[in-house]
Structure formats: structure tokens, C-alpha cells
Amino acid sequence: MKYRKLGNLDVSAIGLGCMGMSHAYGPAADEREMTELLSRAVAMGYTFFDTAEVYGSSDDPHHNERLLGAALRPYRNQIVLATKFGLSFDTTKPVPYPLIPDSRPETIRRSVEGSLRRLKTDRIDLYYQHRLDPDVPVEDVAGTIADLILEGKVLHWGLSEASVDMIRRAHSVCPLTAIENRYSMMARWHESLFPVLEELNIGFVAFSPLANGFLTDTVAKGTKFDATTDYRAAMPQFRDYDANAELLALIRRFAEEKDATPAQVSLAWMLRKRPYIVPIPGTRKESRLRENAQASEVMLTDEEFAEIDTTLRCIPMSEVFGGSKITKQ
């Protein structure tokens, strides 16, 4: 595993997105197995673990934070823990559940105390606003976080799915360390943020860097997902498989040439794109955990990177899942 700077944080070049252990990819995984997996991740060199207070089910809405709190407690001083506030799911609707934002200062304070308790820690290394709240100015959110930083409960903070304007406004009140946005070979619409991130020394955490598993090239055409618990049942990249034939051919070719896997090529391209990008693919399997970690060792030459990057701008692709809808209650 290689390492890099995420704003002012030192983290593993590949982080571990832990949502899928508890949410969105079927029923929650076995806790004992996931505890062992998290321990192995630390042994492999992962130091960056991403969760949120809402990653769970209607029966156990905070499952993922509880899982990480117990599993990672022995390694607490070796790792960077990131979690999120300001969001809940409308579980009365079918998956993908609509999102209900709430970033009022009093809600943030309740959230941070709950996350600290479940994560079994006295500080959160990186605390994100999970989605912007249209009813709460981002300056008010930043001011609340600034107070939590002074209290030592939060060390760094960030925004998820934020625009340039919101980044600048938040940063002017309390400097941001990172933003976390959807980014992959199939979802490149946030590249317009790169100039402001470089100007302000803000890192970019890429969630869904493998397009929810599509870019692993391990999901067969026609695979059926449980529409009651698995978000992939509603994702266009899995429905319109044939539209991505050229993309899959591209990553397969480079995988063969580099003695790597398609997933590793996809992650290596992202790591080469900018030195402050940290992808956080998720998994429930040790083999995939190891494969993703080893992607940091796959080196693309300038020519190889340029060919991939140029080709991605030209070849046809299906739509890709862009996230759940925002609603209000």
C-alpha cells in the first residue's frame, strides 16, 4: 500500500468505504466476518476508513458505525476515521431510499455525540456534512463544526456532493480538509472542482470509484439483484450493460498489459489523475480488499494514462447511478 496527502491528513492511497457492509448491497453482512475483514484491512496497510451515522437498516440504522467502533478500537491511534452527519433515509419508500437532509446546529451536536459513542472514540478525524441542507446556510454548518473542532470532538471536516460556491463559502468560515463526491471512469462530472481544490489545498475522496462494482468486470450481464435491499437493481450501468462494451474492452486490455485486474486499472487511473484523490472502494471480501490495496502499486506511464483519459472522453457509455433523490419531511 502506498500513502498520500488528503488535504492535511496522511492516509492510505486506497481507503475503505464501509457502507456496503451494512447498507445498500443486500442485508447487512455477518458482524464477525466484517470484524475480521476490518482487522485484515489494517494489516494490509489501510489507514482510512469511511462510514456514516445512517449506514444501516430500518431495524438497525447505525449498524455500520457500531461495527467499526468495535472492530477498529484496537487500532484507533493508527487509523483515520471518517463519518458523516446531516442526513437520514426515508425508509417508507423503496430503495434507493430518498434522502432527508437536516444540518441544523442542534442536529449536528446530537449527531456528533452519537457517532463518538458508537465509534468508541473521543474524536472524529474527518467529519463530513453528508449532503447540503437547503434550509441551513453552509456558513452556519461551518460555524458549528468550528466550535466542535475547538472542543476537540472533531479534528477535520469536509463536504459531500458540494459545488464550488458551497466549498468556498464553507472554507471561508472553517477550512475544509476534504470533499467526498462520486467519481469514477463513468462519473466524471466533478472534475470541474479540481482547480478550487488545488487552490485551497483540499483533498478529494472518491466514493463509488468502481461505479458500484461495475468496473470490476466481475458482474455478469443479466445479473439479478434484490430490488428490496440492493440499490444495484435500480442502477442504469447494470441495466444497460451492452452500452459499456467499449469501456470494458479498454480496461480489460490494460489489465492484461499491466498484469492487473480491471478494478486495479480503474483505480490506478484515478490515482494518476490527481495526487490528492483517494478512492474508497467498498467490499465484503478479503480477496477484493487485497486486490484494491494492490492497485496503489499499479503504475501507468504518461502515455498509458493519456490514452485511457482521452479514450474515456470519446467512447459511448450508459448512464451511471448518480445518487438517491433529496426530499424533505
Side-chain angles (χ1 to χ4, degrees), residues 75 78 149 155 183 207-208 220 238 253 293:
Y75 317 106
Q78 302 169 229
I149 290 173
L155 303 187
Y183 187 54
F207 74 84
S208 298
F238 295 103
R253 173 166 66 85

Side-chain angles (χ1 to χ4, degrees), residues 14 45 76 86 111-112 136 138 143 178 186 190 213 222 253 271 280 287:
I14 306 290
R76 183 63 189 94
S111 292
V112 75
V136 180
V138 73
M186 300 185 75
H190 290 302
R253 173 166 66 85
L271 293 173
I280 53 167
S287 60

Side-chain angles (χ1 to χ4, degrees), residues 134-145:
D135 294 333
V136 180
V138 73
E139 291 85 355
D140 292 354
V141 176
T144 303
I145 297 297

Side-chain angles (χ1 to χ4, degrees), residues 89-124:
F89 293 118
D90 181 358
T91 57
T92 66
K93 302 294 193 298
V95 300
Y97 295 131
L99 308 175
I100 304 169
D102 181 0
S103 286
R104 292 171 295 171
E106 60 269 29
T107 302
I108 297 173
R109 285 203 165 269
R110 284 198 304 270
S111 292
V112 75
E113 295 300 335
S115 290
L116 288 169
R117 183 176 63 254
R118 289 184 293 271
L119 291 169
K120 300 184 185 300
T121 185
D122 61 353
R123 80 279 185 194
I124 296 169

Side-chain angles (χ1 to χ4, degrees), residues 44-84:
M44 289 178 197
Y46 284 88
T47 65
F48 186 39
F49 296 84
D50 181 273
T51 184
E53 65 174 341
V54 293
Y55 292 162
S57 65
S58 55
D59 295 331
D60 190 357
H62 307 302
H63 179 272
N64 204 241
E65 282 192 335
R66 283 197 305 99
L67 171 67
L68 267 63
L72 295 174
R73 191 174 189 178
Y75 317 106
R76 183 63 189 94
N77 294 326
Q78 302 169 229
I79 63 171
V80 172
L81 268 178
T83 192
K84 310 177 193 76

Side-chain angles (χ1 to χ4, degrees), residues 19-30 34 56-57 63 226 228-232 284:
M19 179 188 77
M21 298 175 182
S22 306
H23 177 80
Y25 293 88
D30 181 81
M34 293 304 96
S57 65
H63 179 272
D226 183 351
T228 64
T229 59
D230 196 320
Y231 283 27
R232 289 173 293 183
R284 297 180 177 190

Side-chain angles (χ1 to χ4, degrees), residues 2-6 9-14 45 47-48 80 278:
K2 294 186 181 296
Y3 299 86
R4 54 179 45 197
K5 282 281 189 181
L6 181 66
L9 280 171
D10 294 305
V11 298
S12 50
I14 306 290
T47 65
F48 186 39
V80 172
V278 178

